[in-house]
Amino acid sequence: MVPRILLPLLLLLLIACNPSPKKPAASEPETWIQLFNGKDLDDWIIKINKHPLGENFNNTFRVRDGMMVTSYDAYENFDGEFGHIFYKTPFSHYKLRVEYRIVGEQVPGGAGWAYRNSGVMFHARPPEEMLVDQEFPVSLEAQFLGGSGEGERPTGNLCTPGTHVVIGGELVTRHCTNSTSATYHGEEWVRFELVVYGDSLIHHIVEGDTVLTYSKPRIGGELPEGFPLPEGTPVTSGYIALQAESHPFEFRKVELLDLSR
């Protein structure tokens, strides 16, 4: 038995040998990169079909009221001038957040499928590689669609120009796959998020809901003349590009969280 006079000393020794556990360090705040700065298009590269790299035909892409917009007020008629504006840096593992809305009317000459239609291309080949008469980059596309006021027309779909993916363990070679998102008929803002893990897993998220998941993107299907990679090559990284397909769109946020670091 320990004498009572030694109990306080023993208690102090026990405390010294068993210090209070340290509180876990607070996690570092996420650092999002603002791909669009709300002021200009200096960090972006424009490629419009039928026109050389860097030519912003008819001022299709512009900044207005702090937003990046695709505009057709200088067009009399649309004749296949599908446009893409690429961010200057490629990425592999990231979260991308885009807030967009569809406004106004489609320009005369636009295809029926391009009505209220745009999207974000990702894992895209370099813009310098596109041919003058190439309509779309080899890439994956998260498609942005708006409704006509009737029926269902989901957004956040997947289209695959020059690529294939795996869904549910099966290779998918069709061009487009619909998501499970709601339909947005008006001119409201829609928040779209993309979670990309290289050539592994990819998620499409609309207004906080995961609406499509797939994996193992690879080169496949119809490819431009002289394309440098063989079919089946894994697509592990690439450029991000917003589309202009004949209907006016506004983008108020384009930001990215790099997950590769």
Side-chain angles (χ1 to χ4, degrees):
M1 179 179 295
V2 179
R4 288 186 178 182
I5 193 170
L6 295 179
L7 284 175
L9 180 60
L10 181 61
L11 182 59
L12 289 173
L13 288 172
L14 288 172
I15 293 173
C17 293
N18 297 278
S20 299
K22 293 182 180 179
K23 294 182 180 180
S27 59
E28 294 183 4
E30 295 181 335
T31 303
W32 288 78
I33 305 168
Q34 300 304 312
L35 303 188
F36 172 55
N37 61 19
K39 300 176 182 178
D40 54 51
L41 303 177
D42 288 353
D43 292 331
W44 298 78
I45 303 165
I46 294 170
K47 176 63 181 76
I48 295 177
N49 185 39
K50 303 182 181 182
H51 298 272
L53 184 70
E55 180 182 332
N56 190 6
F57 176 69
N58 277 346
N59 200 23
T60 302
F61 296 99
R62 63 185 77 167
V63 176
R64 183 178 66 222
D65 299 329
M67 299 176 292
M68 182 192 297
V69 304
T70 60
S71 178
Y72 293 93
D73 57 9
Y75 284 70
E76 292 184 6
N77 190 72
F78 187 84
D79 187 25
E81 296 95 348
F82 299 106
H84 297 84
I85 184 166
F86 294 78
Y87 188 68
K88 64 182 181 181
T89 304
F91 297 96
S92 61
H93 294 64
Y94 55 89
K95 294 180 183 179
L96 178 72
R97 185 178 295 149
V98 178
E99 292 183 3
Y100 72 88
R101 69 175 178 177
I102 309 168
V103 296
E105 301 296 328
Q106 185 181 26
V107 64
W113 57 262
Y115 169 75
R116 293 172 64 83
N117 186 343
S118 182
V120 57
M121 322 299 280
F122 63 101
H123 275 5
R125 297 291 300 172
E128 296 83 4
E129 190 176 281
M130 289 188 71
L131 306 176
V132 171
D133 294 323
Q134 184 176 333
E135 293 182 341
F136 306 99
V138 172
S139 60
L140 302 169
E141 177 194 349
Q143 185 184 53
F144 300 156
L145 291 181
S148 64
E150 298 179 349
E152 296 182 354
R153 199 174 188 230
T155 191
N157 307 317
L158 168 68
C159 294
T160 52
T163 55
H164 298 321
V165 301
V166 171
I167 300 178
E170 296 185 2
L171 182 66
V172 175
T173 60
R174 61 180 173 268
H175 180 56
C176 289
T177 299
N178 280 355
S179 79
T180 60
S181 87
T183 300
Y184 298 89
H185 290 287
E187 295 189 355
E188 68 267 49
W189 288 101
V190 180
R191 185 178 76 253
F192 174 79
E193 295 170 284
L194 189 64
V195 182
V196 180
Y197 297 103
D199 65 342
S200 178
L201 198 60
I202 299 171
H203 301 290
H204 292 197
I205 302 168
V206 177
E207 293 294 335
D209 293 328
T210 300
V211 298
L212 187 61
T213 295
Y214 50 94
S215 62
K216 300 179 181 177
R218 64 194 70 178
I219 299 298
E222 187 174 347
L223 296 168
E225 183 179 353
F227 189 73
L229 299 177
E231 187 159 337
T233 301
V235 181
T236 61
S237 63
Y239 289 80
I240 292 166
L242 296 172
Q243 280 193 317
E245 293 192 303
S246 73
H247 204 117
F249 268 68
E250 296 179 345
F251 301 93
R252 68 180 180 185
K253 180 176 289 186
V254 187
E255 61 181 5
L256 182 141
L257 180 66
D258 193 346
L259 301 177
S260 65
R261 300 174 181 176

